[in-house]
């Protein structure tokens, strides 16, 4: 991942603030008011002391009014600053969070192969919150107290510039401490955030796989794994705490030293003579008032660095290139002629080739079955059609047009895919069948469910088509889930249909029913069927036998049996026919 300097990150974050510049300006105005009215406290001290020395009636009235006015103004400033800053920060976080999520939805398959869901989820939850911390609390303090410090320093300069310059002589030292601490904070924060990803990852794995954990008696193992992830997090947090606990007092000590120097110098007879007692008190008051904002400013440093580290991670993610979608052609409704020319594929440069030169020509409406041992590359092959991955060599054409020439989204709309792992959403059955469609037609949903032999069990469920089926359909059996997935594919009514072990979880009886239905559905569509149970594909127009990424045989069921090759061997194995 690209390392960003703090500055480029600030600038990029500031880009997110741009649309809310009005609110931002109001917030700054608010803090400016706050800073100005707070600085006025020093001026008030001066008037008070000078007033005590030669009192008069007008002054007696003026002073209380001044106090009330000052606090009232400061209140207005605080409100403007706090409210509008929160508004900017919350908008920023919302925009950033949506950007990150939206971007993730367009990242290519190999990105998801390389990142755990836990880590990705923690980006949109934990990381984004870290940016909020920096954006709300830290920027608030930075602006409010920063402007206050500027106000105080200006006041000091105005009162006695020479003394002020002496007072400010320690600032370079403070700068060194702050910069060292900042770098350390950022490094540690990055580790903390990654460890939070680990925590989410381990927890989500163990919780979603709770049955496996229990049947293997792996509770102790998972507890240890979780404790380790959490312990890394704790250790890093303690390092952060140590840095914070050290840097803040060190900076404050430096400020105190310069204050002491200031008082000592100010008390020198020559200077005392030059100032009125009021001026002197005002000066020391202003200098002493500096302690609180400086303290707050140093304390929020860790907060800011956390936010910067998180923003770096998020921007890194936003820079991950999305799926390439350079095609310009709209496929319209495809006829479904599919051609593969010398297609080779590996999941990564350092990984073995999974497909080793596949040539294939499929006519519109043809039903092609792919059989072969597990791991021979069947799922990989059909996964290339919706462009989940790109072939490393060779090309794929649909209706004589190279796949890359199509726009991604309309192309995928032309392909219905039922894969080995059924994914269902925690929504109603109707919404699951008509997934991604606004305001779908109920009759069409029901027709699809009937064709997938799902209608009966849906009717029996409390709520019927409106029944909500739990996370990934936990309230359904494996066979029911598969039937819903098939119904979803049928509902999609696409000219290309891919069934990747779509009926493997069904009993023979329901499979036979669905088989009949599928034959109906397959008519007029180009269909790829992958099935372990060979009985389900006997009626395919053509059967391909895949072995270690190569097509070793193809032909109809009868032809392949007659050839007595790989297919016949597979067939014998399954039907236990005596050789
Ligand atoms: P089949 O569907 O025929 O059982 P697959 O196409 O799923 O086989 O897998 C073919 C090979 O590709 C296997 O050796 C598997 O280990 C590998 N493979 C599958 N998916 C990935 C992936 N996302 N990353 C790396 N290798 C993979
Ligand atoms: Mg497979």
């Amino acid at each position: 991942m690209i390392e960003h300097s703090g500055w480029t990150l600030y600038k990029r974050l500031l880009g997110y603030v741009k649309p809310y510049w009005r609110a931002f300006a109001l917030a700054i105005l608010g803090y400016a008011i706050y800073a100005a009215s707070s600085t006025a406290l020093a001026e008030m001290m001066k008037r008070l002391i000078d007033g005590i020395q030669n009192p008069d009636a007008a002054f007696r009235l003026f002073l209380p009014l001044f106090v009330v006015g000052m606090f009232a103004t400061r209140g207005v400033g605080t409100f403007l600053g706090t409210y509008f800053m929160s508004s900017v920060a919350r908008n920023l976080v919302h925009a950033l969070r949506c950007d990150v999520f939206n971007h993730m939805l367009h990242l290519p398959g190999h990105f998801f192969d390389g990142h755990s869901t836990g880590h990705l989820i923690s980006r949109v939850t934990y990381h984004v919150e870290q940016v909020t911390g920096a954006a709300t609390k830290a920027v608030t303090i930075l602006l409010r107290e920063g402007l206050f410090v500027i106000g105080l320093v200006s006041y000091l300069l105005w009162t006695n510039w020479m003394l002020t310059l002496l007072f400010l002589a320690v600032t370079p030292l403070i700068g060194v401490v702050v910069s060292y601490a900042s770098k350390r904070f950022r490094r540690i924060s990055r580790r903390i955030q990654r460890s939070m990803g680990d925590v989410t990852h381990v927890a989500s794995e163990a919780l979603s796989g709770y049955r496996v954990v229990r049947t293997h008696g792996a509770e102790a193992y998972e507890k240890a794994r979780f404790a380790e992830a959490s312990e890394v997090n704790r250790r890093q947090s303690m390092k952060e705490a140590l840095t914070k606990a050290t840097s803040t007092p060190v900076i404050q000590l430096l400020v105190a030293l310069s204050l002491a120097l200031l008082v000592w110098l100010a008390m020198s007879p020559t200077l005392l003579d030059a100032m009125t007692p009021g001026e002197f008190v005002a000066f020391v008051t202003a200098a002493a008032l500096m302690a609180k904002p400086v303290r707050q400013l140093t304390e929020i440093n860790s907060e800011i660095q956390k936010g910067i580290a998180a923003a770096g991670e998020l921007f890194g993610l936003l820079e991950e290139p999305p799926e390439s979608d350079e095609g310009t052609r709209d496929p319209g409704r495809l006829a479904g002629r599919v051609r593969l020319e010398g297609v080779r594929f590996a999941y990564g440069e350092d990984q073995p080739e999974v497909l080793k030169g596949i040539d294939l020509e499929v006519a519109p409406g043809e039903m092609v079955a792919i059989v072969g041992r597990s791991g021979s590359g069947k799922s990989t092959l059909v996964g290339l059609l919706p462009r989940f991955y790109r072939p490393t060599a060779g090309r794929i054409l649909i209706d004589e047009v190279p796949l890359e020439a199509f726009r991604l989204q309309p192309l995928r709309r032309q392909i219905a895919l039922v894969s080995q792992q059924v994914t269902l959403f925690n929504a109603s059955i109707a919404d699951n069948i008509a997934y991604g469609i606004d305001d779908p037609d109920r009759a069409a949903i029901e027709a699809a469910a009937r064709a997938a032999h799902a209608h009966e069990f849906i009717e029996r469920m409390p709520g019927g088509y409106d029944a909500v089926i739990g996370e990934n359909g936990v309230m359904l059996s494996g066979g029911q889930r598969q039937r819903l997935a098939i119904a979803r594919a049928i509902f999609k009514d696409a000219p290309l249909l891919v069934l990747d072990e779509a009926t493997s979880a069904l009993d023979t009886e329901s499979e036979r029913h669905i088989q009949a239905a599928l034959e109906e559905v397959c008519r007029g569509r180009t269909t790829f069927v992958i099935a372990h149970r060979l009985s389900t594909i006997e009626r395919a127009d053509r059967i391909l036998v895949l072995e270690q990424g190569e097509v070793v045989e193809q032909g109809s069921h009868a032809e392949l049996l007659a050839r007595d090759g790989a297919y016949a061997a597979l067939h014998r194995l399954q039907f236990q026919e005596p050789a």
Side-chain angles (χ1 to χ4, degrees), residues 379 420 500-501:
S379 298
Q420 275 160 294
D500 186 350
E501 317 222 352

Side-chain angles (χ1 to χ4, degrees), residues 408-419:
L408 209 48
Q409 225 189 6
L411 170 72
R412 287 176 177 166
R413 224 171 275 145
Q414 298 294 304
I415 303 171
L417 172 75
V418 184
S419 66

Side-chain angles (χ1 to χ4, degrees), residues 167-368:
F167 177 61
L168 293 178
V170 292
T171 39
L173 265 178
I174 295 182
V176 170
V177 177
V178 169
S179 126
Y180 171 78
S182 301
K183 287 203 189 94
R184 199 172 148 77
F185 276 135
R186 203 176 304 167
R187 199 170 51 235
I188 296 173
S189 298
R190 221 175 288 134
R191 285 193 216 134
I192 293 179
Q193 283 152 16
R194 294 211 176 127
S195 70
M196 257 335 268
D198 291 335
V199 169
T200 323
H201 165 70
V202 174
S204 72
E205 255 182 9
L207 295 178
S208 60
Y210 75 98
R211 286 175 191 225
V212 180
V213 173
R214 287 184 196 177
T215 50
H216 285 258
E219 288 93 344
Y221 172 75
E222 289 298 337
K223 281 176 195 166
R225 206 155 74 103
F226 186 80
E228 194 186 310
S230 182
E231 168 66 15
V232 171
N233 185 271
R234 185 197 65 82
R235 261 203 310 269
Q236 297 299 335
S237 304
M238 282 320 293
K239 277 192 197 168
E240 184 192 58
L242 182 69
T243 312
K244 191 168 166 177
T246 322
S247 69
T248 304
V250 166
I251 292 168
Q252 280 167 27
L253 193 67
L254 286 173
V255 174
L257 276 176
S258 74
L259 252 179
L261 181 75
L262 183 74
V263 173
W264 185 77
L265 283 170
M267 302 265 273
S268 74
T270 38
L271 271 173
L272 272 182
D273 285 347
M275 285 203 271
T276 68
E279 271 174 349
F280 177 77
V281 171
F283 192 82
V284 175
T285 306
L289 277 176
M290 202 92 110
K292 183 187 149 237
V294 168
R295 190 193 74 227
Q296 291 202 332
L297 284 173
T298 54
E299 275 172 2
I300 51 138
N301 192 19
S302 68
E303 206 78 34
I304 292 179
Q305 301 311 325
K306 261 187 235 175
I308 294 295
E313 202 88 348
L314 292 176
F315 289 144
L317 189 104
L318 286 175
E319 274 158 28
E320 288 281 339
E323 277 185 302
S324 64
D325 185 10
E326 288 111 32
T328 50
R329 276 177 89 123
D330 193 316
R333 178 135 184 124
L334 291 171
R337 178 179 302 283
V338 179
R339 196 144 57 117
L340 276 72
E341 293 176 350
V343 169
R344 293 176 166 275
F345 180 75
Y347 277 98
E349 272 161 30
D350 47 353
Q351 301 209 27
E353 252 187 348
V354 178
L355 299 176
K356 299 165 187 164
I358 308 274
D359 290 293
L360 185 65
E361 169 106 45
V362 182
E366 196 180 355
M367 179 177 182
V368 175

Side-chain angles (χ1 to χ4, degrees), residues 42 62 128 159 165 208 224 238 274 286 324 358 397 399 411 457 525:
F62 166 79
V128 169
T159 314
L165 289 184
S208 60
M238 282 320 293
S324 64
I358 308 274
L397 301 99
D399 291 2
L411 170 72
F457 87 79
R525 298 172 211 273

Side-chain angles (χ1 to χ4, degrees), residues 113-125:
D113 293 343
H115 293 79
S116 81
T117 324
H119 280 105
L120 295 179
I121 289 176
S122 95
R123 300 268 171 95
V124 283
T125 53

Side-chain angles (χ1 to χ4, degrees), residues 17 100 103 197 216 304 307 330 393 405 511 517:
V17 175
V100 168
H103 190 71
H216 285 258
I304 292 179
D330 193 316
E511 189 176 22

